Amino acid sequence: MTQTSQKKLAVVALGGNALILDNQRKTIPDQFDAVKENMKHVADMIQDGWTVVVTHGNGPQVGFILRRSELSLHELHPVPLDYCGADTQGAIGYMIQKALRNEFKRRAMDLEAVTVVTQVEVDSQDPAFLNPTKPIGSFLDEETARKRMADGQTFVEDAGRGWRQVVPSPKPMRIVEVDAIKSLISDGFIVVAVGGGGIPVVEKEDGDLRGIEAVIDKDYASGLLANLIDADLLVISTAVERVAINFKKPNQEWLSQMTVAEAERYIQEGHFAPGSMLPKIQAIITFLKSGGKKALITDPPNIARALRGETGTWIIP
């Protein structure tokens, strides 16, 4: 492998639900099939001259671990949420590494992928701890969700798609392993990092790190990472080819480009649903206001077309 300092650098954020195609395809082999398909599009970017850092969500996968833990409490210890994040970083990172390695081999590309189990520091006084908002786990029907709420969990209806558990979602402040990530990029590796937004940790008075029960939004963490490594582009992949205003209304309009000011106006007008498109737009605004160059929202199959300017929604400062 060769160093990649002269190549264009992109952070590509894959949603956790991109690995779960539907309710009938949730198994590990099903998830790996979805990863393989997504990695073909990432490999296309790399073959076109991009250096790519892959980030990913993990909401459904964390939900699976929590449910298994709940069902086995009569025999086994519970799994804390920060360890669920570490588990899923390793498992999903393994799937991405394997899929990319096989795709590189098919294309005769002399590259390797490596996963960094990433800790992300948050503020222990972040107001998010008083207001859980981050959806995790599978979509449930209302009856099941209300039964679990009676047991002390917090659930909300998620953009018309069902009910999901919510936990605190503090803003990321610092990526602990950022220097290691930079070194791996410089040495020519395709890096998988800040999976699930990173494992949330706080720094204690003695300087030690302590994991906490929270989930960092993966798009905010991806934007922070893109800022810290001076990426040329942040790509947030989602289920739609472009962003729309007046979504699912008679006057729906697909957007090919918007500025930060326009995006902020659309947020004020209520165009983007919480738990769906809203946090993606907010994360991109934060990325661009912190020095980011440009960002793109599209679905994985259309990334190559979007990079050619044929589709997708570009957000610029």
Side-chain angles (χ1 to χ4, degrees):
M1 294 186 299
T2 58
Q3 291 193 341
T4 58
S5 57
Q6 300 305 312
K7 291 188 175 184
K8 297 173 291 183
L9 177 59
V11 172
V12 177
L14 302 172
N17 287 298
L19 312 185
I20 310 287
L21 299 179
D22 54 49
N23 284 331
Q24 283 68 51
R25 289 179 284 182
K26 292 183 176 181
T27 68
I28 298 300
D30 289 332
Q31 292 183 51
F32 184 56
D33 285 343
V35 169
K36 286 192 294 185
E37 190 61 33
N38 281 312
M39 289 309 105
K40 290 178 183 177
H41 308 306
V42 171
D44 287 340
M45 278 189 73
I46 297 167
Q47 201 159 33
D48 285 342
W50 288 89
T51 295
V52 174
V53 176
V54 180
T55 68
H56 60 82
N58 65 350
Q61 293 76 18
V62 165
F64 297 155
I65 294 175
L66 291 173
R67 184 61 177 149
R68 290 191 188 101
S69 179
E70 178 185 329
L71 291 171
S72 63
L73 281 176
H74 61 289
E75 289 191 20
L76 295 171
H77 53 276
V79 182
L81 192 53
D82 55 325
Y83 285 83
C84 292
D87 286 352
T88 54
Q89 281 195 13
I92 297 173
Y94 159 60
M95 287 194 282
I96 292 172
Q97 284 180 214
K98 184 166 60 174
L100 280 175
R101 189 264 182 192
N102 293 343
E103 193 65 31
F104 293 153
K105 179 173 177 289
R106 275 189 287 273
R107 300 181 188 216
M109 298 167 68
D110 182 24
L111 289 170
E112 291 182 34
V114 62
T115 298
V116 177
V117 176
T118 316
Q119 302 170 96
V120 176
E121 186 180 348
V122 300
D123 184 352
S124 62
Q125 302 303 310
D126 191 304
F129 289 107
L130 301 176
N131 180 32
T133 59
K134 182 63 178 175
I136 63 170
S138 304
F139 292 99
L140 303 176
D141 60 74
E142 184 174 356
E143 181 182 358
T144 303
R146 293 202 179 278
K147 286 180 180 177
R148 296 194 185 178
M149 282 191 278
D151 293 330
Q153 296 179 338
T154 304
F155 279 79
V156 296
E157 200 280 328
D158 188 349
R161 297 179 292 179
W163 290 71
R164 294 180 80 185
Q165 184 182 358
V166 289
V167 297
S169 184
K171 291 292 189 293
M173 295 169 46
R174 181 174 71 94
I175 296 173
V176 176
E177 290 80 13
V178 68
D179 288 339
I181 293 167
K182 288 179 179 178
S183 293
L184 288 165
I185 295 168
S186 178
D187 287 341
F189 289 94
I190 303 302
V191 181
V192 184
V194 297
I199 304 162
V201 297
V202 295
E203 187 173 84
K204 300 191 295 184
E205 289 183 2
D206 63 3
D208 286 354
L209 296 178
R210 174 176 61 86
I212 56 169
E213 293 276 313
V215 171
I216 300 167
D217 183 273
K218 74 101 172 52
D219 295 319
Y220 272 106
S222 300
L224 175 60
L225 177 63
N227 285 134
L228 292 175
I229 63 175
D230 196 26
D232 298 287
L233 173 66
L234 171 63
V235 180
I236 295 182
S237 75
T238 185
V240 293
E241 187 174 332
R242 282 181 171 168
V243 177
I245 54 175
N246 301 308
F247 188 55
K248 292 186 177 179
K249 296 178 181 178
N251 58 339
Q252 174 176 293
E253 178 185 351
W254 296 106
L255 303 175
S256 58
Q257 180 176 295
M258 58 180 156
T259 64
V260 166
E262 288 170 333
E264 290 176 327
R265 187 177 82 246
Y266 294 144
I267 289 173
Q268 289 296 318
E269 293 171 354
H271 286 286
F272 307 128
S276 181
M277 188 59 71
L278 179 60
K280 296 174 174 57
I281 301 295
Q282 290 173 324
I284 285 174
I285 290 171
T286 299
F287 161 68
L288 293 173
K289 283 188 169 182
S290 300
K293 302 175 180 71
K294 56 186 175 180
L296 169 67
I297 296 179
T298 192
D299 55 347
N302 283 296
I303 288 176
R305 290 183 59 230
L307 290 172
R308 294 194 297 267
E310 298 171 6
T311 189
T313 300
W314 289 89
I315 302 95
I316 57 175

